[in-house]
Amino acid sequence: MSALSVVFSATMAAQTLRMTIPYASAALGGVLSERSGVVNIALEGVLLSSALASVAVHHGTGSAVAGVLAGIAGGALVSAVHATLVVRGRIDAIVSGIAINLAAAGGTRFLLRALYGSSSNSPSVAGFRLLEGSHVLVRTIFDPFLILTALAVAGAAWMLRHTRFGLRLRACGEDPSAAQAVGVHVVGMRTAAVALGGAVCGLGGTALAYDLHQFQAGMSGGRGFIALAAVIVSGWRPLVAAAACLTFAGLDALQIVLQNQTTAPSELLAVLPFVATLVALVLVANRGDAAARPPEGLGKHPS
Amino acid sequence: MSATAQRRSAPAALAGLSAGWLAFCLLVWLYGASPSGMASLLFHGTWGTSYGIGQVLFKATPLLFTGVAVDLALRAGLFNIGAEGQLAVGSLAAAVVGSRLPQGTPAIVAAPIALAAAMAAGAAWAGVPAILKGRFGAHEVISTIMMNRIADAAVGFGLAAGLAETGVRTRDVVPGARVPRLDVLVPSFRGSAVSFALVAAIATAFLVVESYRRTRFGRELGLIGQNARAMQAEKVPVRRRIEQALVVSGAIAGAASLGTVLGYKGYFEEGLGAGAGFGGLAVALLGRGTAVGLVLAALLFGTLQQGGLALNAHVPKELMDVLSGVVICAVALGDAAQRRPAR
């Protein structure tokens, strides 16, 4: 089969959709957090810790659903730590994010050795095995993680625009002092928004681990940071962010195909998503789109 | 919001150390080992023997370089998370250039040439985020992280494409380009890998921190970090300074290859010096703005790294990464609490 026919195959489409899940859920977590005014570079650490949490609970209980819930709870928990440090403790959000990513990278390896005596990967878990034997595209479209992520993206977009919670969340992100003055509990709202975002991101970490049927050390592989770039490229909008993630995932899937199908050096193809991220950041930097600006109160505390 | 130009306070540093100690005891206990036993093992593996001290100093050397690099960018309010990648390409450049010099090149020529290659490579790698930030306003946190990933791939590609002439690593650098071990001066360090690169790192720390006060460039960086808009109004070329800060930061991060390639292995292989860039972030966040603070922070994280190796047979060495995260947060919390006016 030629490289071109592989690129335009159903397998490739399915692959792209599957790879979008962790990117999109992490990006949605970033949108929720940053729209409330909290910079979140901890997404990478959240993906990693939720991936381990889901596999550990799945492996321990034998229930894939319990694993998903653990991944979501783990993501929310780690994000709540970030929120507490930044919103209550008022430390710089980048500093907190760096510390959490560092602790998550080390902590997951520590736990891997504590739980399974391995420094690289967990024992394998079953994950979900639905619709076995059906076409790969059908199996992907009815993948519970894809459906949940799509619902979360649509739900978050609606929530931000049409609900009281969403309005207050945005108010905290645009002008925390004004929000506080009219009686919004800024600290509580922001903590809730970041933790909610962490829960969504945790769904992505779980999907990542279930996809490989195990946890591997460092398996988030920079996806949290690319997702954050997608947040910026999207102008902090859930639907656009998901679309940006679809593009990044497509490039990721493409580089894997090209690695298998061509003789081009694999190292050069592997950087494709990262270079694309840089290019995307440059392309959006100078646009005059008024809807695509960062929240006004991003990183500011109420006075 | 960010107090990038502020000095670190003693109570905050103390809070960090206590929190780190508590986390150590808790995690070791949870793992099922004895905290007091591990603590004594940690001490004997680091400050308890002259070999251990030498190893701590060896681990602290690249950390101090990258710490100073991150601190300089932080001065201007920039987070250079790319020290990791800048050090990787710098180390490769030092090894490639250092090994291609004529065999008999005297040290006075060879070492500066290899160092210059490393610094140029680090500066070039930081140049991309610098331009993206200065010209396009792209956030340096994301672009430097992307450049780390690209550095990994570029280094791997470079080695695979022929720079690794002896299989997985580059050739040895010429003898003149090697930085001598410190045991020629202090015989009791024999066996440990600490080299004169440590002296260069400490000198760099004092030189850079001194330049914050004594040079126009340094003063402007500090003021940009405090209020970039005011500096713009004062006709300071803020964008240019930001670009320069990142490039200089990258050059200093590249110089850390003095401690990894030129002072230690004498060649480059994939993964050599890995982690020193991220460690430099911790060093800079802790020792921010003062040379003594940076040196002490580098010693602390050097101790944690070496101590992690000493414990690894009993407790996973990754414990130390968790501790680093805890210490960073606790110190930042202590700082924030002090900054906030008492109500």
Side-chain angles (χ1 to χ4, degrees):
Chain A
M1 204 152 48
S2 80
L4 209 62
S5 66
V6 173
V7 169
F8 291 104
S9 65
T11 321
M12 175 79 181
Q15 176 91 332
T16 302
L17 280 176
R18 238 188 39 239
M19 295 178 88
T20 307
I21 299 168
Y23 284 118
S25 52
L28 185 60
V31 168
L32 288 172
S33 168
E34 302 214 337
R35 282 300 277 270
S36 82
V38 181
V39 177
N40 198 344
I41 68 163
L43 294 171
E44 181 80 5
V46 173
L47 277 179
L48 207 51
S49 28
S50 58
L52 179 60
S54 67
V55 168
V57 169
H58 185 354
H59 186 259
T61 64
S63 158
V65 176
V68 175
L69 294 177
I72 292 173
L77 190 71
V78 175
S79 294
V81 172
H82 177 61
T84 306
L85 288 169
V86 175
V87 181
R88 279 183 208 275
R90 296 205 175 188
I91 78 174
D92 191 294
I94 307 262
V95 173
S96 167
I98 289 171
I100 286 179
N101 288 336
L102 190 64
T108 49
R109 283 189 160 89
F110 180 83
L111 282 172
L112 210 47
R113 246 180 83 179
L115 294 173
Y116 308 115
S118 156
S119 53
S120 57
N121 58 273
S122 73
S124 70
V125 293
F128 292 111
R129 296 190 190 278
L130 305 171
L131 301 168
E132 291 214 333
S134 57
H135 190 266
V136 61
L137 204 53
V138 177
R139 215 161 56 222
T140 306
I141 288 172
F142 289 101
D143 179 42
F145 288 111
L146 186 69
I147 295 170
L148 283 175
T149 305
L151 284 177
V153 169
W158 179 80
M159 183 271 284
L160 281 175
R161 196 182 275 262
H162 295 294
T163 67
R164 197 137 85 144
F165 182 80
L167 177 66
R168 290 186 172 168
L169 193 157
R170 284 185 289 134
C172 292
E174 292 299 330
D175 192 337
S177 299
Q180 184 152 327
V182 297
V184 176
H185 192 291
V186 175
V187 169
M189 275 302 301
R190 283 183 163 175
T191 309
V194 176
L196 183 65
V200 179
C201 188
L203 182 69
T206 309
L208 199 59
Y210 278 26
D211 196 28
L212 291 177
H213 297 287
Q214 63 173 335
F215 177 83
Q216 294 172 355
M219 73 187 303
S220 50
R223 286 182 180 81
F225 298 120
I226 291 187
L228 192 62
V231 172
I232 295 171
V233 169
S234 75
W236 289 264
R237 291 170 291 189
L239 295 173
V240 188
C245 288
L246 188 64
T247 314
F248 283 131
L251 284 171
D252 219 353
L254 181 67
Q255 64 91 4
I256 291 175
V257 169
L258 291 180
Q259 277 194 28
N260 292 333
Q261 299 285 329
T262 65
T263 54
S266 61
E267 289 94 347
L268 293 190
L269 292 171
V271 301
L272 201 59
F274 305 113
V275 174
T277 306
L278 286 178
V279 172
L281 282 177
V282 169
L283 288 180
V284 299
N286 287 332
R287 73 178 159 200
D289 186 353
R293 58 173 183 78
E296 202 68 46
L298 191 57
K300 289 186 190 141
H301 293 294
S303 55
Chain B
M1 179 193 75
S2 67
T4 39
Q6 276 187 0
R7 291 188 162 205
R8 167 107 312 114
S9 61
L14 230 85
L17 287 179
S18 343
W21 176 246
L22 276 178
F24 174 82
C25 292
L26 187 69
L27 287 169
V28 167
W29 179 71
L30 285 176
Y31 193 79
S34 138
S36 62
M38 289 302 112
S40 90
L41 209 59
L42 179 72
F43 177 75
H44 282 295
T46 54
W47 295 92
T49 63
S50 58
Y51 167 77
I53 295 175
Q55 283 299 101
V56 168
L57 297 177
F58 157 66
K59 296 277 182 192
T61 304
L63 289 175
L64 184 52
F65 273 114
T66 52
V68 171
V70 175
D71 188 63
L72 183 128
L74 208 53
R75 213 50 203 170
L78 302 164
F79 282 93
N80 178 12
I81 307 196
E84 187 80 15
Q86 292 146 15
L87 172 56
V89 293
S91 296
L92 179 63
V96 168
V97 171
S99 62
R100 276 170 172 64
L101 293 170
Q103 264 307 317
T105 317
I108 194 87
V109 184
I113 289 181
L115 176 62
M119 293 180 74
W125 213 253
V128 176
I131 290 172
L132 294 185
K133 174 85 180 177
R135 306 280 152 84
F136 304 102
H139 204 300
E140 80 281 0
V141 168
I142 294 179
S143 56
T144 49
I145 289 171
M146 296 301 135
M147 289 304 286
N148 283 342
R149 297 274 162 176
I150 299 172
D152 282 348
V155 166
F157 175 70
L159 288 176
L163 294 177
E165 284 151 64
T166 53
V168 292
R169 63 180 187 85
T170 64
R171 265 188 303 168
D172 287 332
V173 298
V174 297
R178 301 218 39 172
V179 178
R181 296 275 166 95
L182 214 51
D183 59 11
V184 300
L185 207 66
V186 188
S188 56
F189 283 156
R190 190 162 309 262
S192 83
V194 61
S195 69
F196 277 94
L198 175 71
V199 180
I202 295 174
T204 307
F206 278 90
L207 209 69
V208 167
V209 170
E210 201 59 16
S211 78
Y212 293 160
R213 290 192 298 123
R214 290 190 189 274
T215 68
R216 186 193 174 111
F217 177 70
R219 285 194 300 271
E220 282 182 358
L221 284 193
L223 292 169
I224 288 170
Q226 283 170 15
N227 191 340
R229 285 175 79 175
M231 292 316 283
Q232 190 86 54
E234 292 284 340
K235 302 271 189 298
V236 172
V238 171
R239 291 173 162 218
R240 170 108 39 95
R241 289 288 174 275
I242 281 176
E243 291 176 5
Q244 288 164 341
L246 276 173
V247 168
V248 173
S249 176
I252 299 173
S257 52
L258 273 178
T260 57
V261 172
L262 304 179
Y264 174 41
K265 290 277 190 182
Y267 57 82
F268 180 76
E269 62 190 345
E270 219 166 343
L272 179 63
F278 294 123
L281 280 165
V283 170
L285 291 174
L286 219 59
R288 192 137 90 192
T290 71
V292 174
L294 287 167
V295 171
L296 288 178
L299 287 177
L300 171 66
F301 288 110
T303 307
L304 288 186
Q305 278 192 9
Q306 179 60 25
L309 293 178
L311 298 185
N312 199 29
H314 308 277
V315 180
K317 63 177 188 296
E318 287 81 11
L319 167 69
M320 297 305 175
D321 293 334
V322 182
L323 293 194
S324 306
V326 170
V327 171
I328 293 171
C329 287
V331 171
L333 278 174
D335 265 357
Q338 283 207 321
R339 266 203 316 277
R340 228 186 302 187
R343 288 185 197 172

